[in-house]
Amino acid sequence: MNSVTSNDVARLAGVSQSAVSRFFTPGASVSTKTAEKVQDAAKRLGYRPNVLARSLITGNSRIIGLVVAYLENQFYPEALERLSHELKKKGYHILVFMASNDLKETEGIVENFIDYQVEGIIAASVALSQNLAELCRRHGIPVLLFNRHQGSEGPPSVTSENISGSHAVAEFLVRGGHKRIAHISGWLGSSTGRDRENGFRAGLASFGMKPFACIDGMYRRDVAADVARALFAHSGPRPDAIFVGNDHMAFAVMDVLRCELGIRIPEDISVVGYDDVPLAAWGAYDLTTMRQPLNRMVETVVHDLLHRIADPEADPVQIRIEGELKIRGSARTAKERTA
Amino acid sequence: MNSVTSNDVARLAGVSQSAVSRFFTPGASVSTKTAEKVQDAAKRLGYRPNVLARSLITGNSRIIGLVVAYLENQFYPEALERLSHELKKKGYHILVFMASNDLKETEGIVENFIDYQVEGIIAASVALSQNLAELCRRHGIPVLLFNRHQGSEGPPSVTSENISGSHAVAEFLVRGGHKRIAHISGWLGSSTGRDRENGFRAGLASFGMKPFACIDGMYRRDVAADVARALFAHSGPRPDAIFVGNDHMAFAVMDVLRCELGIRIPEDISVVGYDDVPLAAWGAYDLTTMRQPLNRMVETVVHDLLHRIADPEADPVQIRIEGELKIRGSARTAKERTA
DNA sequence: CTGAAAGCGCTTACAG
DNA sequence: CTGAAAGCGCTTACAG
């Protein structure tokens, strides 16, 4: 049953094993006659070259390691799907690992990738320790950060323009007439969480304003929901708008406001998210949000990774791609204000 | 930079290459002294065994091929995540491919898996042609269907009890006092879609009832939404309940009913889904749904696959796991009816 | 164009 | 316990 080898094919075809190998090597020189014989024999035996053996000798596994986390946030399944398609187009395959925020675990993952001779690594929403980055460098494996960065000293990265994006959200909310704008941030242990908070603060500051409140939502539904409850669990002044660090948390916030507290959106309060995952456009949420251009981010990360595989000396770059505010029904706009 | 080999380590440690290999083989016999020398040298050089080379000789790649589709349906990212964890526990890694319903494409995927010497294949929500199943058999690669089956002649499979589950949904709706119960089915080209429809019809029949309507929603949001619109785009009698073939479509149906048509759920109409994805419990939907026991399905599929890898002669089985109705707020219950 | 041969990095009997 | 040697299935100069 199992493995038919090039030797088996060679024997049946009456040619050398080298000839068989050449037939399966694009661009190698085989005569029409030999090619036919090999093809017939291969077909009869159901032969397919063993890619692992090939990798061993060529040094190219055509495997990319992908670390991904937060799969309950719709942004990542979508990213995974597009990364998969984009890499397949280029003839690469994906070895996936789920990560948590546990650095220890991430270490094990990277070591696994090295063991499997992956040609490159994409780390989606995961930071890499100095040690790990160094480990990959020593093994000559390029790493790209997706939706995270670690500064100019860190590995190359592809993110959206989180700072200016959040700046724009702040502007949008101020122009919408909001006076008490709170922020439930993404995890402040992540660059994306910090960048969005900083951009948001800067945006408000440009109007001489400060956040009504600013609390870490940890990218978690339960935490974001608790924060939302806390913001309204007193008789003092309440926010009239909340900018949430990503859509995934924004949905939790909207659920709490509407279903638990009976607060209307956007009549009583405006909510704005970040990402523009498909769910944001669904009727139940209709969420105004800063879009992350996933398609372009994916194309860029794949392009840059393959570039780096081909040329390991390429300068590490931090690529930021501009987003776009998708205005839907969850936040009052300047127009509605004057109308 | 790149590859440090066992030979490099042997040279530095002053032992044979075999000794190095043995050190990295659990259970092989190495003296403490040799072990120390090897460990030191390996550490200094940053050596890690090349798994691809090992696979070549042992014949065990420790890679499982996973085909997955419909990632926009939250059920699948969750399945992927749990499969990944479960397989990692057992020392396996996942090579993923996204599939569409395009059989031609699936063919290419399976061939890729064979090329990479995967030890087994899990096909989530994808059917395998006779040819493909035969191809895998010839290569000695066990295949398991997840959330689909292809009858007793097809590959082994793990699904939930779709027929009795839908039967129970029908009962639940009838007891809730509903008289005109429609069904928007899953794709009838899939066993799961057909089983759920059949179970549902049988359930109604046990009360002497028939479906008010029964239309294929293709597992697609847009199709399900159109079907929902069509059910109400006339002045004749309308359904008082809709059983939707999975949660993913049910959300689309609810969006159309509430946001486009102004129909209240459950006051005007009851909606029931299938799967119990996390979203179903979110405040915005609060969907009554037949739960698929994902955890047990995943454990079962992994367990059975590894069993089959160890013993290729194992009888193919069709495993069905019982679900449980999660009653939430989207459907009128018998109690509310009498209350 | 073609075949014999070396070698990719490893594991595993085998003899000592 | 240890090393020399064969071999996993392939690619790739090399000589013809």
Side-chain angles (χ1 to χ4, degrees):
Chain A
M1 37 150 264
N2 216 326
S3 35
V4 180
T5 74
S6 55
N7 267 307
D8 301 329
V9 176
R11 210 169 305 130
L12 181 61
V15 300
S16 73
Q17 183 268 331
S18 324
V20 176
S21 177
R22 276 192 209 98
F23 175 76
F24 285 98
T25 306
S29 45
V30 245
S31 67
T32 325
K33 212 197 265 173
T34 312
E36 268 173 16
K37 286 194 278 191
V38 173
Q39 186 156 36
D40 285 356
K43 193 169 220 169
R44 280 178 53 192
L45 297 175
Y47 170 74
R48 302 196 56 100
N50 180 331
V51 175
L52 265 33
R54 174 184 292 163
S55 306
L56 191 56
I57 199 159
T58 63
N60 302 127
S61 64
R62 308 243 89 187
I63 298 177
I64 299 295
L66 175 65
V67 197
V68 73
Y70 298 112
L71 239 51
E72 74 280 11
N73 174 350
Q74 217 184 9
F75 184 73
Y76 293 103
E78 225 200 327
L80 169 59
E81 183 159 0
R82 304 216 185 170
L83 281 168
S84 165
H85 283 129
E86 195 67 19
L87 284 167
K88 184 198 246 175
K89 270 195 228 164
K90 313 282 187 178
Y92 281 87
H93 307 107
I94 296 185
L95 207 58
V96 266
F97 279 95
M98 304 287 105
S100 57
N101 282 326
D102 182 352
L103 271 183
K104 199 72 199 167
E105 197 190 338
T106 309
E107 192 153 339
I109 292 173
V110 171
E111 286 173 353
N112 264 293
F113 282 154
I114 294 175
D115 297 346
Y116 275 91
Q117 313 291 117
V118 302
E119 292 189 40
I121 294 176
I122 297 175
S125 308
V126 183
L128 249 55
S129 69
Q130 285 282 351
N131 278 345
L132 280 187
E134 168 61 17
L135 190 63
C136 292
R137 214 196 44 69
R138 273 175 62 179
H139 284 267
I141 302 177
V143 178
L144 243 78
L145 265 32
F146 182 81
N147 209 27
R148 289 288 184 280
H149 68 76
Q150 296 182 232
S152 50
E153 299 300 297
S157 64
V158 174
T159 63
S160 67
E161 288 278 12
N162 289 308
I163 297 182
S164 64
S166 300
H167 192 111
V169 169
E171 263 189 67
F172 168 79
L173 285 171
V174 171
R175 291 194 201 288
H178 302 90
K179 302 295 182 198
R180 298 179 304 283
I181 312 176
H183 178 45
I184 300 177
S185 74
W187 182 43
L188 294 177
S190 75
S191 63
T192 305
R194 289 189 304 268
D195 287 350
R196 290 181 189 166
E197 174 175 328
N198 291 335
F200 176 68
R201 283 182 186 279
L204 288 187
S206 71
F207 289 92
M209 293 172 67
K210 283 183 178 254
F212 175 82
C214 212
I215 306 175
D216 192 338
M218 307 287 292
Y219 293 130
R220 284 170 45 185
R221 261 188 81 81
D222 55 344
V223 175
D226 282 343
V227 172
R229 286 181 197 106
L231 283 173
F232 288 86
H234 55 76
S235 52
R238 298 168 163 197
D240 57 6
I242 306 181
F243 167 42
V244 191
N246 69 7
D247 290 355
H248 182 66
M249 293 189 294
F251 301 137
V253 170
M254 291 176 81
D255 286 344
V256 165
L257 295 181
R258 294 198 291 208
C259 307
E260 289 182 23
L261 307 176
I263 295 172
R264 292 167 309 163
I265 301 169
E267 293 82 354
D268 303 328
I269 189 169
S270 292
V271 176
V272 175
Y274 212 113
D275 280 345
D276 193 23
V277 298
L279 243 165
W282 295 7
Y285 292 106
D286 196 33
L287 178 65
T288 291
T289 184
M290 179 58 68
R291 174 168 180 72
Q292 292 215 86
L294 182 55
N295 251 331
R296 278 163 56 216
M297 287 172 70
V298 165
E299 283 163 18
T300 306
V301 80
V302 168
H303 180 269
D304 194 67
L305 184 63
L306 300 193
H307 173 64
R308 230 160 268 286
I309 289 171
D311 175 16
E313 306 301 321
D315 281 339
V317 289
Q318 316 290 329
I319 302 175
R320 287 186 300 275
I321 299 178
E322 204 149 341
E324 178 198 355
L325 190 65
K326 293 295 270 190
I327 298 180
R328 297 204 180 88
S330 68
R332 260 182 9 244
T333 64
K335 203 180 278 174
E336 287 158 8
R337 176 195 182 193
T338 57
Chain B
M1 38 148 263
N2 217 326
S3 36
V4 179
T5 73
S6 54
N7 267 307
D8 301 331
V9 176
R11 209 169 305 130
L12 181 62
V15 299
S16 73
Q17 182 268 331
S18 324
V20 177
S21 177
R22 276 193 208 97
F23 175 76
F24 285 98
T25 306
S29 46
V30 244
S31 67
T32 325
K33 211 197 266 176
T34 310
E36 268 173 17
K37 286 195 278 190
V38 173
Q39 186 157 36
D40 286 356
K43 192 169 219 170
R44 280 177 55 192
L45 296 175
Y47 170 74
R48 301 197 57 101
N50 180 332
V51 176
L52 264 34
R54 172 183 294 162
S55 306
L56 191 56
I57 198 159
T58 63
N60 303 127
S61 63
R62 307 243 90 185
I63 298 176
I64 299 294
L66 174 66
V67 197
V68 72
Y70 299 112
L71 239 53
E72 74 280 10
N73 174 351
Q74 217 184 8
F75 184 74
Y76 292 103
E78 226 199 326
L80 169 60
E81 184 159 359
R82 305 218 185 168
L83 281 168
S84 165
H85 283 130
E86 194 66 21
L87 284 168
K88 183 198 246 176
K89 271 195 227 163
K90 313 283 187 179
Y92 281 86
H93 307 106
I94 295 184
L95 207 59
V96 266
F97 278 95
M98 304 286 107
S100 55
N101 282 325
D102 183 353
L103 271 183
K104 199 72 198 166
E105 197 189 339
T106 308
E107 191 153 340
I109 291 173
V110 171
E111 286 173 351
N112 263 292
F113 283 154
I114 294 175
D115 297 348
Y116 275 90
Q117 314 290 116
V118 301
E119 292 189 40
I121 296 176
I122 297 175
S125 310
V126 182
L128 247 56
S129 68
Q130 285 282 352
N131 277 345
L132 280 187
E134 168 61 18
L135 190 63
C136 293
R137 214 195 46 69
R138 274 176 60 179
H139 284 266
I141 302 176
V143 178
L144 244 78
L145 265 31
F146 182 81
N147 209 25
R148 290 287 185 280
H149 69 76
Q150 296 182 233
S152 51
E153 299 301 297
S157 64
V158 174
T159 63
S160 67
E161 289 276 13
N162 289 308
I163 297 182
S164 64
S166 300
H167 192 110
V169 169
E171 264 188 64
F172 168 79
L173 286 171
V174 172
R175 291 194 201 286
H178 302 89
K179 302 294 181 198
R180 298 179 305 282
I181 312 176
H183 179 43
I184 300 177
S185 74
W187 181 43
L188 293 178
S190 75
S191 64
T192 306
R194 288 190 304 268
D195 287 350
R196 291 181 188 165
E197 174 176 328
N198 291 334
F200 176 68
R201 283 183 186 279
L204 288 187
S206 71
F207 290 91
M209 292 172 66
K210 282 183 179 255
F212 175 82
C214 211
I215 306 174
D216 191 338
M218 307 287 292
Y219 294 129
R220 283 170 46 185
R221 262 188 79 80
D222 55 344
V223 175
D226 282 343
V227 172
R229 287 182 196 105
L231 283 172
F232 289 84
H234 56 77
S235 52
R238 297 167 165 197
D240 57 6
I242 306 181
F243 168 41
V244 191
N246 69 7
D247 290 355
H248 183 65
M249 293 189 295
F251 302 136
V253 169
M254 292 177 79
D255 286 343
V256 165
L257 295 181
R258 294 199 290 208
C259 307
E260 289 181 23
L261 306 176
I263 295 172
R264 293 168 308 164
I265 300 168
E267 294 82 354
D268 302 328
I269 189 168
S270 292
V271 176
V272 174
Y274 212 114
D275 279 346
D276 193 23
V277 297
L279 244 166
W282 295 7
Y285 293 106
D286 195 33
L287 178 66
T288 291
T289 184
M290 179 56 71
R291 176 168 178 70
Q292 292 215 82
L294 182 55
N295 251 331
R296 277 163 56 216
M297 288 172 70
V298 164
E299 283 164 18
T300 305
V301 79
V302 168
H303 180 270
D304 194 67
L305 184 64
L306 300 193
H307 173 64
R308 231 159 267 286
I309 290 172
D311 174 16
E313 306 303 319
D315 280 338
V317 288
Q318 315 290 329
I319 302 174
R320 287 185 300 275
I321 298 177
E322 204 149 342
E324 178 197 356
L325 189 65
K326 294 295 269 191
I327 298 179
R328 298 204 181 87
S330 68
R332 261 182 9 243
T333 64
K335 203 180 277 174
E336 286 159 9
R337 178 194 181 193
T338 58

